[in-house]
Amino acid sequence: MPASIPVLLETVLPSGSESSVPDSSGTQFDVYLYSTTGLTATYTRSLNKTLRDEVVKAGWSYDRNGGAGPGFAVIQGGMADLDDAVKSEWEVEFRRDGVTWYRGRVVDYSHVSARKGEILTHIVTEGYQTKLADIRVNRAYASQTVKAIVQDILDNDIKPNTRITYDAADIVGGYTAVSLSFNCDALHALQVLAALQGSTEWGVTERTAPRLYFVAEDGTGISETAQVILSGTTPEIAARGSFQHSVNQIFVVGGYSAGTVITATGDDATNQTTYGTRNRIVHESSLLDSGDAERFGDNLAAIHGSGGGYLRGVRGNPTSRLEPDRTSAANAGATRCQFRGVDGTVQTASWNRIAYSYERRGRGYSFHADVEA
């Protein structure tokens, strides 16, 4: 499993007689709740409520592959029942200084009695990537590129059943798959296609609307993965692989083709030379060609051969988000994030997930992140 280390991004405590001390620059944390109509890409939304001082705590996460993940907000004083919000999948945005850091759907809520009879409302949210697990893909493909297959799944399965749409320029994948047969959810199908293509980042960007991207990594640490800038001090960052989590040989067991089970072996020869052979068996019934299965195994071995790692950061104030930020076709994918201190020093490290947490403390607040690499 990838390791994670908490990064204290910011803690602001009250001083004097100030009624609110967001931070020295006046930063404020808000939760925007939008009512919505429609569950497809033609849906509409309108602002229902803005919550600021009522927000006790909040949390959310981003996956490098997938996009926005689960989130939550705890509201002081209670709110009206949100049954319609859950049924209609109302949207929430978490904003800092007026900038959206997270956008998700309301999937559940509860009212809780706190001390002295105070009522708290817990709002549970999810990003749009989780909708993909609800969509079935039941289709075979022969001699088609990964790009064509992804677009076909989007057109026939995802777009008709979700709010997710896409721009054709944001879908890439030149490898021609010989034979695939999916009978699974769309989330799994995209994961298989990403591994088959190799060096791919994909997910759902939600900054302006839910749009799926499937792009090639460029490894530069910019564009697709935004910078998080820690001010106030030069950050201490470390990225370290661990052989304990390294898997450098993949035995692939595919589906049946002409009465024969497809098998193949994928290797990361360089990693094997360093650490010895460390293998794993992966079953993937959608693979009906040995060449596809071997490529799938090679790419998985390359991904897992580097093992786990971590990022470590010191206290600072982030002035931009660290998350997939697919805003235009011109943005290429990136395998790494960059941290920059006030002295201009830039350090780069890979990451897979970042989870933020906000908590009000008296008249101040704290802001943390856990980064998995």
Side-chain angles (χ1 to χ4, degrees):
M1 295 294 292
S4 65
I5 285 188
V7 182
L8 178 61
L9 296 181
E10 182 180 22
T11 298
V12 179
L13 300 177
S15 61
S17 59
E18 296 170 301
S19 59
S20 179
V21 187
D23 69 16
S24 59
S25 64
T27 298
Q28 184 64 59
F29 185 85
D30 302 303
V31 173
Y32 282 65
L33 181 64
Y34 291 88
S35 61
T36 59
T37 301
L39 296 175
T40 64
T42 58
Y43 82 107
T44 59
R45 71 175 194 170
S46 59
L47 182 63
N48 178 274
K49 189 181 293 291
T50 302
L51 303 162
R52 176 170 293 181
D53 296 331
E54 305 96 326
V55 182
V56 176
K57 62 173 63 176
W60 64 99
S61 65
Y62 280 91
D63 294 315
R64 184 168 65 90
N65 281 326
F72 74 91
V74 179
I75 309 302
Q76 188 177 36
M79 297 177 63
D81 288 346
L82 295 171
D83 297 289
D84 188 57
V86 173
K87 178 181 178 181
S88 302
E89 298 187 11
W90 287 15
E91 290 188 344
V92 294
E93 290 186 8
F94 298 161
R95 297 186 185 183
R96 187 177 180 189
D97 254 355
V99 176
T100 300
W101 282 52
Y102 174 81
R103 179 173 176 171
R105 304 166 293 116
V106 177
V107 297
D108 200 2
Y109 77 97
S110 62
H111 302 303
V112 179
S113 296
R115 59 184 180 181
K116 297 181 180 180
E118 182 181 43
I119 302 297
L120 300 175
T121 297
H122 291 240
I123 302 175
V124 182
T125 67
E126 290 181 355
Y128 277 93
Q129 63 165 296
T130 58
K131 291 291 292 184
L132 299 173
D134 298 330
I135 306 302
R136 183 187 182 194
V137 178
N138 186 20
R139 198 172 297 106
Y141 297 95
S143 301
Q144 294 190 49
T145 64
V146 168
K147 174 184 175 75
I149 297 172
V150 171
Q151 288 183 313
D152 187 71
I153 292 173
L154 277 162
D155 291 337
N156 290 288
D157 303 308
I158 296 175
K159 283 184 63 178
N161 296 291
T162 72
R163 295 169 180 165
I164 299 171
T165 184
Y166 73 99
D167 293 322
D170 288 339
I171 310 298
V172 301
Y175 175 72
T176 298
V178 177
S179 184
L180 298 173
S181 181
F182 291 116
N183 186 7
C184 60
D185 60 73
L187 179 62
H188 182 76
L190 290 172
Q191 290 169 338
V192 171
L193 289 166
L196 190 59
Q197 176 61 42
S199 300
T200 297
E201 287 186 359
W202 68 274
V204 182
T205 181
E206 299 160 25
R207 188 62 52 77
T208 57
R211 293 181 180 274
L212 191 138
Y213 59 88
F214 193 96
V215 297
E217 296 174 344
D218 65 6
T220 64
I222 57 175
S223 299
E224 179 64 28
T225 305
Q227 289 184 354
V228 58
I229 303 172
L230 303 178
S231 63
T233 182
T234 300
E236 177 189 3
I237 300 297
R240 182 178 67 188
S242 171
F243 79 93
Q244 296 177 358
H245 305 288
S246 176
V247 177
N248 50 39
Q249 185 176 69
I250 305 291
F251 297 123
V252 180
V253 180
Y256 283 93
S257 177
T260 302
V261 178
I262 298 299
T263 60
T265 302
D267 292 286
D268 183 339
T270 301
N271 192 273
Q272 290 173 10
T273 300
T274 303
Y275 297 115
T277 301
R278 304 167 66 89
N279 52 47
R280 176 185 299 172
I281 298 174
V282 174
H283 294 265
E284 182 46 59
S285 61
S286 65
L287 299 169
L288 300 181
D289 175 76
S290 58
D292 290 344
E294 183 176 359
R295 180 185 175 93
F296 179 84
D298 284 342
N299 288 337
L300 286 185
I303 293 171
H304 296 293
S306 60
Y310 67 83
L311 300 181
R312 181 175 66 244
V314 298
R315 176 176 173 177
N317 175 16
T319 56
S320 65
R321 297 160 302 281
L322 172 57
E323 64 185 67
D325 185 17
R326 186 69 181 169
T327 55
S328 73
N331 290 350
T335 60
R336 298 183 291 273
C337 60
Q338 291 183 333
F339 290 78
R340 185 174 68 213
V342 292
D343 63 353
T345 301
V346 176
Q347 299 188 56
T348 303
S350 299
W351 70 280
N352 289 307
R353 167 177 288 188
I354 182 166
Y356 293 104
S357 63
Y358 162 88
E359 183 174 4
R360 193 178 69 199
R361 293 186 176 181
R363 297 189 304 274
Y365 66 84
S366 65
F367 191 46
H368 295 73
D370 285 301
V371 183
E372 291 184 359

